[in-house]
């Protein structure tokens, strides 16, 4: 294995979701300066789900017109689109237009839709492209995909985004001759170390790095030597590749051909029930990790304090690429174990949701053990289910290019179903909290993670 190619695969994977992840962590700096205010996360969630038209189109083309789309050209287009959209955001994110007499951030919303289309479509293009490399590089790609959430968060931390202090303001109210005092908490944001425009330039530069990595993965001689013998062109196995295989591989294929396939999916290694089982787990896990649990993270953690919230968010971001590293050295393929890990992770997720439901008075709210439990729950939740996602991706990689296309489509489907389920619940709950003022002010401030990027 080449370390150079591992780095390229990681940088390529990092470009898959870095734009939308970066936009989410920048919201505390953007929201106070646009007319939509804290309704912007809800608008962005709708736009991101609308952008699933991209992966839907790619999947349908693959199903009914296999080989018609040039996969490499599509990837070049979406990376370039993401780079340009991020660059334009640096100039136009604050610009507004009058829509029905009301100022709206049209440029911000439109460019966000383009970024969402790029990132959603990457699930059904970047992942299948990895068929052109040896299997071990797919895990490195998943590491890069995990870093796409961690890196923007670290840059935002350096930027000082969303740092706020709550000041107690006193107001005198003169009502029918009697004077009364009113006390109210007001949020005062500290200025960031650099502007949102500079941050968007950084996102554009990261997409440029992704583009450079993709070009090298296509044309660098070292990469060509690391390609598997069976190569894919636009998702279709190239003719004559079997004839170029060495005798050992040909014998392996002859032996495999003597075994009756269990299904028509991929190589036929897995039965139809097993394939549906893996796809169900994949959709379930992505729905939980990408949408359902992130949508209640502030509710589950903030009652234990700001430190618990920030620590859980940071460690969860680190746990994703860590799970990919673990999968690189312990790539178990037991479907029974994957099911057990999914149940374990889902059980932890149920505890987190339970604490969110009980908020602002969850279990052990004033105890150190409560903080320890909620932070540990987030770490093991992301660590366990991220490992499951990577292993299923590795399994499906061995089933062929088509399996990876469907893998990306199921990832987006699971995220979409999670968003459809949680959007009305969280929005209704958030409105109630803001109306009754029963929550600390930090709820609205830190609620930038209401919906995950997917």
């Amino acid at each position: 294995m080449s370390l150079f190619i591992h780095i390229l695969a990681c940088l390529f994977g990092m470009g898959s979701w870095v734009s939308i992840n970066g936009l989410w962590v920048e919201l505390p700096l953007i929201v106070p300066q646009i007319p939509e205010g804290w309704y912007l996360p809800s608008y962005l969630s709708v736009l991101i789900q609308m952008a699933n038209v991209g992966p839907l189109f790619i999947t349908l083309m693959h199903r009914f017109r296999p080989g018609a789309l040039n996969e490499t050209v599509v990837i070049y287009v979406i990376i370039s689109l993401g780079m340009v959209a991020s660059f334009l955001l640096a100039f136009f994110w604050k610009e507004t237009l009058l829509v029905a007499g009301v100022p709206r951030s049209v440029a911000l919303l439109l460019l966000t839709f383009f970024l969402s289309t790029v990132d959603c479509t990457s699930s059904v293009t970047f992942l299948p492209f990895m068929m052109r490399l040896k299997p071990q590089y797919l895990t490195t790609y998943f590491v890069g995909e995990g870093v796409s959430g961690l890196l923007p968060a670290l840059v935002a931390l350096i930027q000082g985004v969303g740092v706020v202090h709550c000041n107690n303001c006193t107001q005198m109210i003169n009502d029918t001759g009697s004077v009364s005092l009113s006390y109210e908490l007001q949020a005062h944001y500290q200025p960031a170390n650099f502007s949102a425009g500079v941050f968007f330039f950084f996102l554009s530069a990261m997409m440029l790095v992704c583009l450079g990595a993709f070009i090298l993965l296509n044309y660098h001689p070292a990469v060509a030597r690391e390609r598997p013998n069976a190569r894919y062109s636009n998702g279709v196995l190239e003719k004559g590749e079997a004839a170029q295989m060495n005798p050992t591989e040909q014998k392996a294929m002859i032996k495999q051909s003597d075994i009756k396939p269990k299904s028509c999916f991929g190589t036929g290694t897995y039965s139809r029930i097993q394939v549906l089982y893996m796809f169900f787990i994949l959709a379930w896990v992505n729905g939980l990790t990408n949408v359902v649990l992130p949508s209640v993270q502030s509710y589950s953690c903030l009652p234990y304090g700001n430190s618990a919230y920030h620590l859980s968010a940071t460690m969860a971001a680190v746990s994703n690429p860590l799970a990919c590293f673990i999968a690189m050295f312990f790539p178990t393929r037991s479907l029974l174990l994957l099911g057990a890990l999914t149940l374990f992770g889902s059980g932890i997720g149920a505890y987190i949701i339970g604490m969110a439901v009980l908020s602002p008075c969850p279990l052990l709210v004033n105890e150190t053990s409560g903080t320890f439990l909620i932070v540990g729950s987030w770490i093991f939740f992301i660590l366990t289910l991220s490992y499951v996602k990577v292993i299923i991706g590795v399994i499906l990689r061995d089933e062929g290019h088509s399996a990876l296309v469907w893998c990306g489509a199921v990832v987006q489907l699971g995220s979409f179903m999670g968003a459809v389920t949680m959007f009305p619940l969280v929005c209704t709950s958030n409105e109630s909290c803001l109306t009754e003022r029963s929550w600390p002010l930090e709820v609205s401030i830190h609620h930038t993670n209401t919906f995950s990027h997917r």
Side-chain angles (χ1 to χ4, degrees), residues 209-352:
V209 170
C210 174
L211 179 62
F214 182 64
I215 292 174
L216 291 176
L217 285 174
N218 277 286
Y219 297 108
H220 198 280
V223 179
R225 291 192 295 268
E226 289 286 329
R227 294 187 188 276
N229 288 313
R231 295 189 293 122
Y232 286 81
S233 176
N234 302 333
V236 179
L237 188 65
E238 290 185 358
K239 295 181 179 180
E241 291 294 337
Q244 298 177 14
M245 292 182 181
N246 58 48
T248 304
E249 290 174 326
Q250 289 179 351
K251 291 178 182 178
M253 289 187 63
I254 293 173
K255 291 181 179 179
Q256 189 174 6
S257 64
D258 295 335
I259 303 174
K260 184 178 179 180
K262 297 180 180 179
S263 70
C264 59
F265 180 82
T267 61
T269 305
Y270 297 95
S271 67
R272 185 180 297 272
I273 298 297
Q274 289 174 321
V275 172
L276 292 176
Y277 168 78
M278 286 189 288
F279 278 151
F280 173 79
I281 289 180
L282 191 63
W284 174 262
V285 165
N286 278 278
L288 290 181
T289 56
N290 295 341
V291 181
V292 176
L293 269 296
S295 69
V296 298
Q297 186 171 24
S298 58
Y299 295 102
S300 66
C301 297
L302 275 176
Y304 298 98
N306 285 334
S307 297
Y309 175 81
H310 289 295
L311 189 59
S312 64
T314 303
M315 294 307 297
V318 173
S319 297
N320 192 338
L322 178 60
C324 299
F325 276 113
I326 295 174
M328 187 179 297
F329 297 102
F330 301 98
T332 178
R333 297 184 180 223
S334 170
L335 298 185
L336 184 61
L337 178 60
L338 292 180
L341 290 175
T342 302
L343 287 177
F344 176 72
S346 299
I348 298 176
Y351 172 79
I352 295 173

Side-chain angles (χ1 to χ4, degrees), residues 9-304:
C10 183
L11 294 176
F12 177 55
M14 188 172 59
S16 59
W17 285 97
V18 69
S19 299
I20 291 299
N21 286 333
L23 184 61
W24 277 109
V25 299
E26 196 69 3
L27 284 184
L29 198 61
I30 295 175
V31 163
Q33 304 183 55
I34 60 173
E36 288 78 9
W38 281 104
Y39 287 102
L40 180 63
S42 299
Y43 296 157
L44 295 187
S45 301
V46 174
L47 287 173
I48 291 171
Q49 298 311 316
M50 289 173 59
N52 278 309
V53 65
L56 177 62
F57 171 75
I58 297 294
T59 305
L60 291 177
M61 285 294 293
H62 174 77
R63 173 64 180 84
F64 297 106
R65 295 288 304 276
L69 280 178
N70 190 317
E71 187 175 74
T72 303
V73 172
V74 172
I75 295 176
Y76 276 124
V77 169
I78 62 176
I79 294 178
S80 301
L81 179 61
M83 183 173 59
V84 172
S86 299
F87 185 80
L88 293 177
L89 270 176
F91 298 99
F92 299 108
W93 69 271
K94 286 195 295 186
E95 301 298 323
T96 60
L97 292 175
L98 288 178
V99 179
V102 180
R104 295 294 182 190
S105 304
V106 176
L108 174 63
L109 296 175
L110 184 61
L111 291 172
T112 299
F113 176 75
F114 288 141
L115 289 179
S116 303
T117 304
V118 168
D119 290 1
C120 290
T121 308
S122 71
S123 295
V124 292
T125 51
F126 286 22
L127 198 58
F129 173 81
M130 295 304 295
M131 275 295 302
R132 305 188 182 196
L133 302 177
K134 291 182 178 179
Q136 53 265 34
Y137 297 114
L138 181 62
T139 307
T140 312
Y141 167 85
F142 281 118
V143 173
E145 196 173 81
V147 172
S148 72
L150 177 62
L151 187 59
L154 293 177
V155 174
L157 188 64
I158 297 172
Q159 184 185 16
V161 61
V163 177
V164 64
H165 293 288
C166 297
N167 295 336
N168 193 4
C169 299
T170 304
Q171 294 181 344
M172 297 183 61
I173 302 176
N174 190 346
D175 186 15
T176 63
S178 61
V179 178
S180 60
L181 297 178
S182 173
Y183 300 95
E184 183 180 11
L185 285 176
Q186 292 185 354
H188 291 272
Y189 291 86
Q190 289 187 347
N193 295 323
F194 52 88
S195 67
V198 174
F199 185 85
F200 288 129
F201 282 134
F202 159 75
L203 295 182
S204 182
M206 293 310 301
M207 293 303 296
L208 180 61
V209 170
C210 174
L211 179 62
F214 182 64
I215 292 174
L216 291 176
L217 285 174
N218 277 286
Y219 297 108
H220 198 280
V223 179
R225 291 192 295 268
E226 289 286 329
R227 294 187 188 276
N229 288 313
R231 295 189 293 122
Y232 286 81
S233 176
N234 302 333
V236 179
L237 188 65
E238 290 185 358
K239 295 181 179 180
E241 291 294 337
Q244 298 177 14
M245 292 182 181
N246 58 48
T248 304
E249 290 174 326
Q250 289 179 351
K251 291 178 182 178
M253 289 187 63
I254 293 173
K255 291 181 179 179
Q256 189 174 6
S257 64
D258 295 335
I259 303 174
K260 184 178 179 180
K262 297 180 180 179
S263 70
C264 59
F265 180 82
T267 61
T269 305
Y270 297 95
S271 67
R272 185 180 297 272
I273 298 297
Q274 289 174 321
V275 172
L276 292 176
Y277 168 78
M278 286 189 288
F279 278 151
F280 173 79
I281 289 180
L282 191 63
W284 174 262
V285 165
N286 278 278
L288 290 181
T289 56
N290 295 341
V291 181
V292 176
L293 269 296
S295 69
V296 298
Q297 186 171 24
S298 58
Y299 295 102
S300 66
C301 297
L302 275 176
Y304 298 98

Side-chain angles (χ1 to χ4, degrees), residues 355-379:
M355 296 305 99
V357 171
L358 294 174
S359 187
C361 300
L363 301 176
L364 304 173
V365 65
N366 294 318
E367 303 290 337
T368 304
S369 57
T371 302
F372 177 80
L373 278 175
I374 196 65
V375 173
S377 296
W378 272 101
I379 293 174

